[in-house]
Amino acid sequence: MRVLLVEDDARLGAALSDVLRVHGMEVEHVTTARMALSRLNARTEAVVLDLGLPDRDGFEVCSRIRRTHDVPILMATARSDLTARVHGLNLGADDYLVKPYDVRELLARLHAISRRHKRDSVPSGPGATDPADDPELRTPLGTGDAPVTEEPPGLSPDEIVIDVSSRTVVKGGTAIALTRKEFDLLALLARHPGVVFRREQIISEVWQSTWDGLGRTLEVHVAAVRSKTGSPGLIETVRGVGYRLAIGAASSTWT
């Protein structure tokens, strides 16, 4: 496992690095937020993140990482209050460990979040939920008269057209009937394809509410839009953060 260790205490960081390497991990130790953000890359498999960094708060670092990388994050910090723990997890951290801790627990938690991440990365679950790689669901639907256009790899085969002024959604010349909230959800994501919208933000804008209990309702509506459009990859889940519209999967008009 390739671990980015973000710890401003040089001695603690060096000691932790040694322990992790003994257990077969590749470790890069950085001491500032700036270094952490610059060193994170696609090969990074886990981040151990301290919150008390000299140049930027660790919460902000977590939030910025989560916007661009689906990598497991373990917050390891001296901040033990409930508010900090909840805030860290809400920002997208996968686990939270309070200092001082036993290194064995750190190792166990790292392996645990890594397992969960690998499991969640594999399309699974009942029905068509998030199967970007499901060959059956990626088979073009209703290929009849739709003109053949260049098809970016990994995206929905048929483009979906969203007309906000008439509140219509069309795919391959066929209108798709969405409920009011389903359309509002899709239209919101279509404003900025590829940009991640946090769950709280979506709930606030579509349901005009901040009630946490609407999280399940949001999931149901996302699933409904995917199913009705026949494009499971249209709305992408960004684990621990929210959702985004797949780039190139849909076009929209705003008048």
Side-chain angles (χ1 to χ4, degrees):
M1 186 190 306
R2 287 179 285 273
V3 177
L4 179 63
L5 173 61
V6 188
E7 171 57 65
D8 69 320
D9 185 322
R11 287 196 304 173
L12 176 58
L16 275 177
S17 297
D18 290 342
V19 171
L20 296 177
R21 290 188 183 110
V22 166
H23 286 79
M25 300 180 185
E26 295 179 29
V27 183
E28 181 170 12
H29 174 213
V30 298
T31 57
T32 67
R34 183 186 301 274
M35 293 172 66
L37 295 172
S38 66
R39 299 303 299 172
L40 185 71
N41 57 59
R43 296 178 69 249
T44 306
E45 295 177 288
V47 176
V48 178
L49 177 62
D50 184 22
L51 294 180
L53 301 175
D55 55 339
R56 194 169 298 176
D57 190 272
F59 287 131
E60 183 181 346
V61 176
C62 176
S63 180
R64 293 188 60 176
I65 290 175
R66 194 46 82 217
R67 285 179 212 160
T68 54
H69 291 76
D70 184 23
V71 61
I73 301 173
L74 170 59
M75 286 185 173
T77 174
R79 299 183 196 175
S80 60
D81 59 283
L82 178 61
T83 300
R85 283 181 280 161
V86 171
H87 185 50
L89 294 171
N90 280 338
L91 286 175
D94 294 86
D95 202 352
Y96 194 103
L97 187 60
V98 177
K99 296 177 181 177
Y101 51 77
D102 191 299
V103 174
R104 292 171 297 179
E105 184 177 4
L106 173 69
L107 286 166
R109 289 177 181 268
L110 264 179
H111 285 300
I113 62 175
S114 177
R115 284 196 303 272
R116 288 200 298 269
H117 176 73
K118 290 175 181 176
R119 185 171 61 239
D120 293 346
S121 297
V122 177
S124 62
T129 301
D130 208 7
D133 297 324
D134 188 323
E136 183 177 351
L137 290 172
R138 290 178 58 75
T139 300
L141 301 174
T143 52
D145 302 324
V148 177
T149 57
E150 52 183 341
E151 201 172 285
L155 295 179
S156 301
D158 294 331
E159 184 179 63
I160 293 171
V161 179
I162 305 165
D163 188 331
V164 177
S165 61
S166 62
R167 295 182 66 84
T168 57
V169 177
V170 176
K171 178 182 178 182
T174 301
I176 298 170
L178 299 180
T179 67
R180 184 167 62 88
K181 291 299 184 187
E182 289 165 358
F183 181 87
D184 290 344
L185 165 64
L186 182 59
L188 173 65
L189 300 180
R191 288 177 185 271
H192 302 287
V195 174
V196 179
F197 285 76
R198 295 183 56 79
R199 294 167 62 89
E200 298 83 356
Q201 179 183 1
I202 298 171
I203 290 172
S204 175
E205 297 199 28
V206 175
W207 280 270
Q208 305 292 309
S209 172
T210 58
W211 183 45
D212 292 340
L214 285 171
R216 177 56 184 159
T217 301
L218 170 59
E219 294 172 3
V220 170
H221 280 69
V222 169
V225 173
R226 288 167 171 163
S227 176
K228 289 182 178 180
T229 59
S231 299
L234 174 64
I235 298 177
E236 299 174 337
T237 301
V238 179
R239 195 169 64 89
V241 183
Y243 299 94
R244 66 185 168 203
L245 195 77
I247 295 176
S251 61
S252 56
T253 57
W254 303 84
T255 56

